Structure formats: C-alpha cells, structure tokens
Amino acid sequence: MQATGDQYLVARSLYSEESFAEEHKKVYRHRKTALDHVKQYFTCDTRRAKNAVLSLLPIIGWIKIYRIKEWLLSDIVSGVSTGLVAVLQGLAYCLLASLPPWYGLFSAFFPVVIYFFLGTSRHISVGPFPVLCLMMGSVVTRLVPDEGPLVNITGFEGLTMNEQRVLVASSVTFLVGIMQLAMGVLQVGFVVMYLSDTLVSGFTTAAAIHILVSQLKFVLGLQVPGMSGPLSIIYTLEVIFSKIGSTNVCDVVISLVIMVVVFIVKELNDRFKAKLPVPIPIEVIMTVIACGVSYAFDFRTKYKIDVVGHIPKGYEPPMAPNLHIFQETAVEAFPMAIVGFAVAFSVAKVYSVKHDYTIDGNQELIAFGVSNIFGASFKSFAASTALSRSAVQESTGGKTQIAGLLSAIIVMIVTLAIGFLLDPLPKSVLGAVVIVNLKGMLMQFREVPYLWRRDKSDCIVWLGTCIAAILLGLDLGLAAGLGVELLSVVLRAQFPRCSVLANIYGTDLYKDRKDYVDIYEPEGVKIFRIPSPIFFANIEFFRSKLVEAVGFNPLRVLRKRNKALRLIRKLLKKGYLQWTSNGFLNTSCGPINESVEFESNTEELDLPANFKDLPARVDWNAELPANIVVPRVDLHSLVLDFAAVSFLDISALKGLKAALKEFIRVEVDVYIVACDPYIMDKLHQCSFFDDEVQPSIFFLTLHDAVLHILNKHPECSRNKSRYDKIPTMVTVHHPAGRLRNRDKNAADPETKF
C-alpha cells in the first residue's frame, strides 16, 4: 500500500472469507472460561492486595501527591465557602424531606467525613440533594402523614411525630446505603449507564416542579399536609389554591425579596466569574440579614410567620434502623439508591474530565453506600451531591476533598456552637433559597425543542419521563421513564432503517442509492444493508424489508416454479408437450386443464426445483409452454452488507438460513460481506452451513463481492458507457505533481473493467 497526500493505492487479491483465511494465518487466542474468571477473581498476591487497598482507600493515592504550598490555601477558601452554603442548603433541603431543619446539618457532616476517605472524586460536595430529599419526603409522609392514621410500624410506640419521621428517614437511608454498597461490591456500577442524559434531564426537571410545589406552602405561609403517591402534586396544588386566601403577606414579601436579590446576584456571579476571586455567597448573606431582621422585629410573634425554631446543640446518639421499615420501603429505596449514585457520578465525571483524573464507578458506589450507612446511624438522611454546592467547591479553587472535609468542619461548628443564632430564621427564607436554586433544573425545558429537531426518540423519552414523574411521583416516574427509554432502544433495533446500496462513481465505496446522484448499479445485482443486530424481534422485519428491496417474494416464486414443473411433467406424460431442439412444443389442440396441478403438498413446493426427469432445464425468464405463467426474476446476485450487524441469536440464525435458501432455490446467488468474526464462529458452531448455504458466500468487503459477481456475470457490464464504473485500482498523485497509474497487468488475480 502506498499513500501520498489524500489518496492511497492498494493492490491485492480478491478475497472471500475462505481465501483470506487460507492465505493469512490467524493468531490463536485462548478464550477464558467462566471458571478461569472465577479463579482469577479469587487469586490473591502482594500486588493485587496493594491495588485492592489503594482502590478501597483512594485517599492514599491522592494524598501522596498533595501539593501543600499550591493547594492548601485554595482548599481552605473553598472549604469555608462550601461549608457556609452547605449549612444553608442542609436546613433548606431538610424541609423537602419533611423533617426538622437541623437534621439537614447531620446530612451535611457525617457522609462528607466518610466520603473523604473512600470517594474517588476530588471536587464534588457530598450532602443533601433536593431530588433525593423530595423522594425521601414522599416515603416519610406516606408512613407518617400529617393527617390521618399511621402505617402500623413496630417501634413507633411512644415516639413523637418528628421522632417517627426521623426513624423512617434514617432507616430508609440505611437501606439505601446497603443497596449501594452491595452494588459496589458486586461490581455493578454499570447499571447507571442505563440512565441516559436525556432521561436524567427529564427526571430532574420533573423533580424541580415537585420541589417548587412543595415549597409554595412555606413561601405563602400556609399549612398544607404532605402528600405522596400518584397525582400527589395535583392534590397539593388543590389544597394550596383552596387556602390561598389565608396567605401570610409577610412570608410572601420576605420570599420575593430573597428570591429577587439572590437571583440577581447569582446572575452577576455567573457573568463576572472570571473577575471575581470567589463567588459572592449571597444566600448566606441574605440568610444572616433575614435572621437579624426577624429577631429584631419579632416576626414570629407579630406576623405569625413560621421560623426554624430551637436547634439542639451537639449530635444525637447513634441508633439502629427499623427492620419493619425496611420491608415497607424496599421498593422506594432502590430508585433512591440509583438516583443518588447516578447524579453524583455524573457530576463527578464532569469534573474528572475537566481536571484530568479518573474516577471508579464501583468505588463511588461503595463510598456512598458506607457514607449513607454511617450517616443513617447518626440520624442523617440519604446523601448525594447538589450541583450548585459542587460548583461552589470547584469554582472557589477546591483541589481535593480536603475542601469537603473543611466544609464539614464548618457545619460541625454551626451544629455544636452557633446553631442557636438560626432560631429566628423564617422558613419562607429557606423555601425561597430552594426555589431560586431550581433555576438550572427548570431551564432544562429548553432542551425539548432542540431534542425534537435533532432526535425525536430522545425527545419522547424526555417528555415521557418528565410527565410520568410529575403525575405518578418520582419513584414510579423513574421506572416509567426507564421503560420508555428501553422501549425506544428496542424499537430502533427492531425497526432499523434498511437501505439498498449502490457504487459511488469512480470509487470502491457503496452508499444509499437514494442519497447520491453519481451511482452505478450493475444489472441483476442488489446490495442490501441492515444497520442493526439481527435477533428474534426483528428477523421477520429484516426478511420483509429484503423482499421489498428485491421486488419479489422468493418463496412464492419457488412455489410457482414447482407447480409449473409438475404441470410440464404431466403434459409431457400425456403427450400434450414434446421436447424439440427449439424447446418445448405444444401438441394439444384444445385448452389444457391446470386445476388438478394446484392440489399439491405445500412442503414439497418449498423444495428446490428438480429437473431430473425433464429433457432439459427450464429457462424461467423465457416464454413457457402451455401458457404457463411464472413471475420473472431479473436478479441473479444478492449481496447482504453485515458490517453493522453485531450479533445474531438462534432465532435470527434460523430465519436468516431460511431466507438464504429461498433465494438460492430460485437461482439467486447470495453473498454476505463484512461479517464479524465472532458471528462467523457462531455460524460454524451452530451448524449453519450445508449443501445449499456454504461458507464460500462470505466475502471480506463489499467491493470484493461485487468484483466476484462481475467476474461471474460479465454480461452485467456489456454497456460500454458503464464499463469502467467500478474501479479495481486507485490513482495516486505524488507530492511532486507527477501522475502514476497502476499497471493493469501487475496483479493477475484482479479483475479489470
């Protein structure tokens, strides 16, 4: 092979799969069995033990390369900034989980400490995530509703409503942690790959709408019972509108002021982030101002607004989870485990690519699993990562999880020492902060027009997931969205866009004949391409599209021919037909009754045409005697392009073999090109080949097969104007500008046209 500039020259023999295998020796590769993989998995040596320790404790890997002089100051600034945001978000997001606000501080502390040692991402901020908090809140309000009877749970006796809800939240979190840890140990972190970006976008948008509705009661100062289950958002809005007349004006004013100021400053932070050394922590500033104003003017007494209230100092003693709650919430805990990990892993992947380091999905599952188990023991609820908080940690210069550990220390200081200062904080301020931080998720609605223009299937997945999650709830909505996504994949594989290919003038390339003008199709040759795996669900679609492409049904033609042969034999036997040198001669003077010939066994009609007891073969494209009519077949060669076929199952093998035999029996040569080696091995293992379907029909490339056909049927190129449409050589332009042509006699095995 010679290459110069943007052209290349190749001179080689024409290869079928068999001839290529004869000429080029393959390397033998030992295939590991399942037992070999099991032995390797349980084999332990010094090197593997060291790698296992490093993978389970990623801190050992990055702490050794920590640059104290360059990174420590950045981590301190980032840790303090993130810690202040974590305090506020911990209090705010706790309202979504229908728990007392100070438990959010626990969730911003315990999981962070464990993730510091076990996590592989250096930039995400672990803690409460609004979507996960909302999913937790739906479980909490289902088991411990604001109004109505409680679910009969062993262990609720003697506990207040808040204590019961904390028990539910911590038990569910413990179960979520067990599920994540189990998935990590079993190395099934790949399950998150089934949650596409489109599905996650639609799901988080629906979650943002749920969060917005859930915070309206705090912004408006209304007493609205928590609801869960399908259509809960509709029922919540119904209650809010029925009580709209009781809105607390002070809460509304405070919320509007907070939202407007925070929104404006956040926009300024985004616009001038290149010039600002640290983003302005406007949520923290407004929270401090709101606390001071509320305390100074006694909003709680004068205007009857709902405030955070007393925040106990210190941490509560650990407690064991409730096994009865495990049984009641297992179905809801699993989607929480998946969503929590999927969001955290997606954010971690973005920062790992940006800062050039690797993350391990299975280790992330272990890290979050242990974090949630440990945190649940100290009454925190399920942790993941909040996008805005992680953005603060990264944008303020955070280099490693030391910034995360420092943020946890800030949260600890608030919990142990200065939490009482937040007593007069209005809950409407927290609700307003939550709503403002929903901007990013709500703006995902802008993706819908883009998806509709680019990929309607993805758009349907987005809309289906979003609508299902809004109406059915987040857990059922996620399952429904996953179902829609998998269905779209199955349908695209089941009904692929098949095409008929043609040669592009002057090249060895073949493209869809509908897309190009300068194309050449040899007479009697059809090239068919299916761009997907062939399996039980699409084999019939493949066969129907193949029949549509060639323009006739080979099985129907075969049956017509066999019926015609039976009739010819009968007419010869009765003397109505005679064979002469010029062909069959009709000797009957009257009409011939053909009705008896159609009473035949269908299975016999599907067998290959048999000319044994006839004086000569029948030319099916010529005029037949006795007015016998058989569909004419102008096709002599069919090429199937399998370049995009990645696998065949047993049902597809049977259907493919039946289709090939149907064409072969009507004297159409079938060739398969660019078949994957693993498929070839499977064909041999499954006894695919016989006297009719032989390995010789397989060719390396499409051009090899077409050249072979033109060799075999030279009449395809009798039209001189099209004689040299399909090249067997390539012209090479040298850098000096001289033109070299390959000698046509240089490669004798090649066919020249």
Side-chain angles (χ1 to χ4, degrees):
M1 181 170 66
Q2 299 178 13
T4 55
D6 58 354
Q7 294 188 349
Y8 67 91
L9 173 64
V10 177
R12 66 168 176 82
S13 302
L14 189 155
Y15 286 125
S16 67
E17 289 281 358
E18 284 187 328
S19 62
F20 184 82
E22 291 172 1
E23 190 171 326
H24 296 82
K25 196 173 182 179
K26 290 184 72 173
V27 175
Y28 174 75
R29 289 186 293 169
H30 174 68
R31 306 288 180 185
K32 290 184 178 180
T33 64
L35 183 60
D36 293 332
H37 286 289
V38 172
K39 288 180 179 178
Q40 183 181 3
Y41 186 80
F42 287 103
T43 300
C44 185
D45 53 26
T46 306
R47 181 171 171 271
R48 190 163 185 185
K50 179 181 177 182
N51 290 337
V53 172
L54 290 176
S55 64
L56 288 174
L57 291 171
I59 184 176
I60 299 175
W62 60 260
I63 203 71
K64 293 188 297 184
I65 61 172
Y66 191 81
R67 305 172 189 171
I68 297 178
K69 293 182 179 179
E70 299 177 27
W71 292 357
L72 184 58
L73 182 60
S74 297
D75 278 341
I76 292 174
V77 173
S78 175
V80 173
S81 302
T82 308
L84 295 175
V85 175
V87 170
L88 181 59
Q89 290 189 351
L91 296 171
Y93 294 160
C94 202
L95 300 179
L96 297 173
S98 301
L99 298 173
W102 60 86
Y103 286 99
L105 299 178
F106 298 171
S107 299
F109 175 73
F110 291 108
V112 178
V113 174
I114 299 300
Y115 189 86
F116 173 77
F117 295 99
L118 301 180
T120 59
S121 174
R122 303 176 193 172
H123 292 87
I124 65 171
S125 175
V126 178
F129 175 53
V131 177
L132 213 56
C133 293
L134 191 65
M135 296 176 76
M136 180 66 71
S138 67
V139 179
V140 169
T141 53
R142 180 176 68 83
L143 298 184
V144 188
D146 291 319
E147 300 174 356
L150 302 177
V151 176
N152 187 17
I153 300 290
T154 304
F156 274 3
E157 299 83 3
L159 300 179
T160 64
M161 176 182 286
N162 283 340
E163 290 173 340
Q164 291 171 348
R165 289 187 167 185
V166 170
L167 177 61
V168 170
S170 59
S171 298
V172 173
T173 300
F174 198 96
L175 183 56
V176 167
I178 291 175
M179 291 178 175
Q180 290 175 331
L181 180 59
M183 288 190 289
V185 171
L186 296 175
Q187 305 283 295
V188 291
F190 64 88
V191 295
V192 73
M193 302 305 173
Y194 291 103
L195 302 179
S196 66
D197 292 342
T198 305
L199 183 144
V200 172
S201 175
F203 177 76
T204 52
T205 304
I209 294 174
H210 275 282
I211 294 169
L212 176 63
V213 172
S214 69
Q215 296 306 293
L216 288 178
K217 63 180 180 181
F218 299 111
V219 170
L220 299 176
L222 301 176
Q223 295 296 322
V224 179
M227 299 180 187
S228 60
L231 301 180
S232 60
I233 190 171
I234 305 296
Y235 300 139
T236 301
L237 287 173
E238 181 184 5
V239 174
I240 289 174
F241 284 119
S242 67
K243 296 183 176 182
I244 198 72
S246 305
T247 300
N248 189 312
V249 178
C250 185
D251 274 324
V252 173
V253 172
I254 292 173
S255 301
L256 289 176
V257 171
I258 294 292
M259 285 191 282
V260 169
V261 174
V262 171
F263 178 80
I264 292 174
V265 176
K266 275 182 168 288
E267 290 296 312
L268 293 175
N269 280 340
D270 290 339
R271 181 167 296 185
F272 300 105
K273 60 183 177 182
K275 298 180 180 179
L276 292 173
V278 176
I280 302 172
I282 187 60
E283 294 104 325
V284 177
I285 294 172
M286 294 305 294
T287 301
V288 172
I289 294 174
C291 273
V293 173
S294 175
Y295 177 77
F297 293 95
D298 196 11
F299 281 177
R300 182 176 188 178
T301 305
K302 289 185 177 180
Y303 302 104
K304 309 297 182 185
I305 65 171
D306 197 7
V307 298
V308 169
H310 175 64
I311 297 180
K313 284 187 178 181
Y315 294 102
E316 300 183 12
M319 70 177 204
N322 187 302
L323 297 181
H324 195 179
I325 294 176
F326 282 6
Q327 299 174 7
E328 291 285 338
T329 60
V331 175
E332 293 152 308
F334 183 71
M336 292 173 64
I338 295 296
V339 170
F341 168 65
V343 172
F345 185 73
S346 299
V347 177
K349 190 162 58 174
V350 170
Y351 290 127
S352 69
V353 171
K354 182 177 179 180
H355 296 278
D356 192 24
Y357 62 90
T358 59
I359 56 172
D360 183 351
N362 293 311
Q363 180 60 28
E364 286 294 290
L365 273 171
I366 293 174
F368 278 103
V370 176
S371 296
N372 281 321
I373 290 173
F374 181 76
S377 302
F378 290 91
K379 301 183 181 179
S380 77
F381 52 85
S384 179
T385 182
L387 279 66
S388 58
R389 194 169 61 248
S390 295
V392 169
Q393 180 165 320
E394 191 269 342
S395 63
T396 52
K399 303 297 183 184
T400 64
Q401 280 300 327
I402 287 179
L405 186 64
L406 290 174
S407 71
I409 292 174
I410 297 296
V411 174
M412 182 182 68
I413 292 172
V414 172
T415 305
L416 297 178
I418 60 175
F420 68 92
L421 296 176
L422 297 173
D423 288 2
L425 178 64
K427 288 185 178 180
S428 56
V429 173
L430 299 177
V433 169
V434 170
I435 291 175
V436 171
N437 281 299
L438 295 177
K439 179 202 166 188
M441 289 193 285
L442 291 174
M443 293 301 285
Q444 292 176 139
F445 271 113
R446 294 184 299 181
E447 295 180 13
V448 175
Y450 172 83
L451 290 173
W452 183 255
R453 291 192 302 269
R454 299 293 188 272
D455 191 329
K456 290 181 172 56
S457 297
D458 272 355
C459 186
I460 290 172
V461 171
W462 196 100
L463 291 173
T465 305
C466 185
I467 293 171
I470 290 173
L471 297 179
L472 302 179
L474 296 182
D475 48 357
L476 295 177
L478 179 62
L482 187 59
V484 173
E485 180 184 54
L486 295 179
L487 182 62
S488 72
V489 173
V490 170
L491 291 178
R492 277 188 268 194
Q494 187 173 351
F495 303 107
R497 184 184 177 275
C498 301
S499 56
V500 176
L501 306 183
N503 177 252
I504 302 298
Y505 172 75
T507 73
D508 60 347
L509 304 176
Y510 295 81
K511 296 291 185 181
D512 191 336
R513 65 179 182 180
K514 295 179 181 179
D515 296 337
Y516 295 87
V517 176
D518 294 329
I519 60 173
Y520 172 53
E521 296 181 271
E523 284 184 33
V525 180
K526 198 72 79 173
I527 305 171
F528 183 78
R529 181 176 186 270
I530 178 169
S532 80
I534 305 176
F535 57 105
F536 66 93
N538 69 356
I539 181 62
E540 291 305 321
F541 176 80
F542 164 73
R543 295 181 65 176
S544 66
K545 283 294 181 181
L546 185 57
V547 168
E548 182 182 326
V550 299
F552 65 91
N553 188 325
L555 184 58
R556 186 180 175 194
V557 171
L558 178 61
R559 290 175 178 175
K560 288 277 189 180
R561 288 184 178 183
N562 279 327
K563 288 179 182 179
L565 288 175
R566 287 190 176 185
L567 181 57
I568 290 172
R569 288 191 184 94
K570 189 173 183 66
L571 295 176
L572 286 171
K573 185 177 180 181
K574 290 183 176 182
Y576 295 154
L577 281 180
Q578 288 185 1
W579 174 255
T580 67
S581 59
N582 295 325
F584 288 105
L585 177 65
N586 187 0
T587 60
S588 174
C589 298
I592 298 174
N593 183 13
E594 302 179 22
S595 60
V596 68
E597 295 303 323
F598 291 93
E599 298 173 3
S600 54
N601 188 347
T602 305
E603 292 183 3
E604 294 180 5
L605 294 178
D606 293 346
L607 297 176
N610 186 0
F611 299 97
K612 280 185 180 179
D613 53 350
L614 293 178
R617 291 182 66 90
V618 177
D619 183 0
W620 297 110
N621 289 334
E623 185 177 350
L624 299 178
N627 297 323
I628 297 174
V629 178
V630 174
R632 182 183 177 90
V633 176
D634 295 322
L635 189 71
H636 59 71
S637 300
L638 172 64
V639 184
L640 302 179
D641 183 2
F642 269 32
V645 178
S646 57
F647 74 87
L648 294 166
D649 65 3
I650 297 299
S651 300
L653 287 178
K654 294 178 180 177
L656 177 63
K657 188 172 183 178
L660 296 184
K661 284 189 173 184
E662 289 172 6
F663 280 101
I664 292 171
R665 288 172 181 177
V666 295
E667 301 173 6
V668 175
D669 295 330
V670 183
Y671 303 93
I672 298 177
V673 302
C675 188
D676 188 275
Y678 294 102
I679 295 180
M680 286 295 297
D681 292 342
K682 186 171 185 178
L683 295 179
H684 285 286
Q685 293 168 6
C686 296
S687 303
F688 181 79
F689 301 107
D690 55 23
D691 293 338
E692 292 181 276
V693 181
Q694 298 180 352
S696 59
I697 69 172
F698 287 83
F699 280 78
L700 278 185
T701 70
L702 196 46
H703 201 54
D704 283 318
V706 172
L707 292 179
H708 172 79
I709 292 169
L710 295 180
N711 255 343
K712 189 175 180 180
H713 300 274
E715 70 276 4
C716 296
S717 299
R718 280 178 184 161
N719 186 348
K720 294 297 181 183
S721 64
R722 295 287 186 179
Y723 196 68
D724 56 355
K725 285 288 186 181
I726 299 184
T728 57
M729 63 180 183
V730 179
T731 301
V732 180
H733 290 278
H734 284 270
R738 291 179 297 141
L739 183 67
R740 285 186 61 199
N741 287 326
R742 188 71 177 180
D743 183 5
K744 292 190 176 184
N745 297 319
D748 186 59
E750 294 187 70
T751 305
K752 303 295 186 292
F753 298 101

